Each structure stands twice: as C-alpha cells, then as structure tokens.
Amino acid sequence: MHRDFWINQGFFQAAWPACVIGAAYGQLWIGLLVVGAMAVWQLHPARRHPQDLRMLAVCVGLGILLDSFWVRAGVLAYSTAWPSPGFAPLWILLLWVALALVINHSMAAFKQRLLLIGLLGGIGSPMSYFAGARFGAVEWLAPAWAVVLAVGLSWALLLPFLFWLSRPEVKASAARSSLTTDNAGVETE
C-alpha cells in the first residue's frame, strides 16, 4: 500500500463526519470542502482510474434514487434537506461521490470479494444511519426494525453491484454487447 491508497482512504474516512456532522449543524460547506478536495485529488490525471467518471455518474444517480426513495416512502427524513426536502440532500450525495472515488482505489480489493462487501454493507449501513440520527443529520420515521431491514438489505445488494460493475471485464462485456450484427453477418456499432 502506498501513499495514494492512504490519502484516498483518509479522504473517505473524513467525508462521513464532514458531511453528516456538517449537515446536523447546517454547515454544508464542510462536506463540500472535504469531498471537493477528495475529488480534486483523485480525479487528477495522474491518479484517475479510467472508470472513475463512470462510477461517479452511477453512484450519484443511484444516490438520488435511493435516498429520495427513503424520503418519499416515509422511512427517513434528512436535516439540511437542501435543495428540497422531498429529495436526497446535497450532503448525502457528497457521500455517494466519496464512495464512487474509493471503488477503484483504496477499496478496489472488494471487487473480488463481493459477498464480503455485501455483508459489510448490510451490517454497516444501518449503523451509519443510526449514528447519523444520533448526530441529528437524519431522522428515522419508520419503526427501527423496518429502517434497519430496508437500509441494510438495500446496501447489502447495492455495494456488491457497484463493485461488480466497476470490474474491467464488465466494461469489456458491455462494449461487446453494444455491437450488433447486420444481415450480412458483419458486426456494426
């Protein structure tokens, strides 16, 4: 493990308290500063992985969908719900950005350990949301067992999917499947 690994993981570990505690106190700038610095560092051409931008798009898209779903379904409510209380707030989307920026870097080993990352996500995510609630960044609106089950199960499935999606062979397979064959048997794009 070299310096870039530790800097990437350090930014990731700093992102959660910066975003969550910052949101609890209405201070979005703290999370913006930490995750922004992480993005500048990790997306520098010397350190950027070829799939980083793709994973950023996928993670932010899934973050908008999943965390907006929790709000709309009456499972969770987020403090500092900017830009709108009916959708995933900016601070939680910053956490999705941070996740996207470790998948191909300091946490890349999980690409070959999908069951383990699913187990860790299923256990760790409800704990993370619980800690966020203790700080005042999120409120559990549903019964605790329902939040733990819904959040834990979703992350137990979502994390292995994200790490699987970032594998090089998945990208190559997707590229091959985008080719079609015309009537003469010639592959065209």
Side-chain angles (χ1 to χ4, degrees):
M1 290 184 230
H2 52 82
R3 177 183 66 112
D4 288 354
F5 172 94
W6 292 109
I7 292 172
N8 177 265
Q9 192 54 219
F11 273 127
F12 185 63
Q13 294 304 317
W16 191 92
C19 292
V20 173
I21 297 170
Y25 289 96
Q27 304 294 316
L28 291 176
W29 67 270
I30 301 168
L32 280 167
L33 181 68
V34 171
V35 177
M38 180 183 192
V40 167
W41 165 262
Q42 201 57 64
L43 295 176
H44 185 278
R47 289 177 288 279
R48 182 175 49 228
H49 187 277
Q51 291 195 53
D52 279 347
L53 296 177
R54 175 178 175 231
M55 293 313 299
L56 273 169
V58 169
C59 285
V60 171
L62 284 171
I64 291 169
L65 292 173
L66 183 62
D67 284 295
S68 295
F69 173 76
W70 297 137
V71 172
R72 301 258 179 190
V75 175
L76 300 171
Y78 297 104
S79 66
T80 314
W82 187 85
S84 170
F87 295 96
L90 175 64
W91 66 267
I92 207 150
L93 295 179
L94 290 170
L95 291 173
W96 284 90
V97 168
L99 172 63
L101 293 174
V102 295
I103 289 174
N104 290 305
H105 300 282
S106 63
M107 293 179 67
F110 287 108
K111 290 181 186 184
Q112 305 307 319
R113 295 173 178 90
L114 299 179
L115 186 59
L116 179 58
I117 194 67
L119 181 64
L120 293 172
I123 295 168
S125 62
M127 293 169 60
S128 179
Y129 279 80
F130 178 76
R134 300 296 288 178
F135 279 112
V138 63
E139 181 182 356
W140 292 21
L141 302 177
W145 69 267
V147 175
V148 169
L149 182 64
V151 169
L153 185 58
S154 66
W155 279 94
L157 297 172
L158 186 64
L159 281 176
F161 169 72
L162 290 171
F163 281 83
W164 171 81
L165 189 63
S166 70
R167 289 177 169 178
E169 63 269 19
V170 173
K171 184 178 178 187
S173 173
R176 282 192 303 273
S177 69
S178 71
L179 296 175
T180 58
T181 305
D182 66 11
N183 291 337
V186 177
E187 286 187 349
T188 60
E189 196 167 342

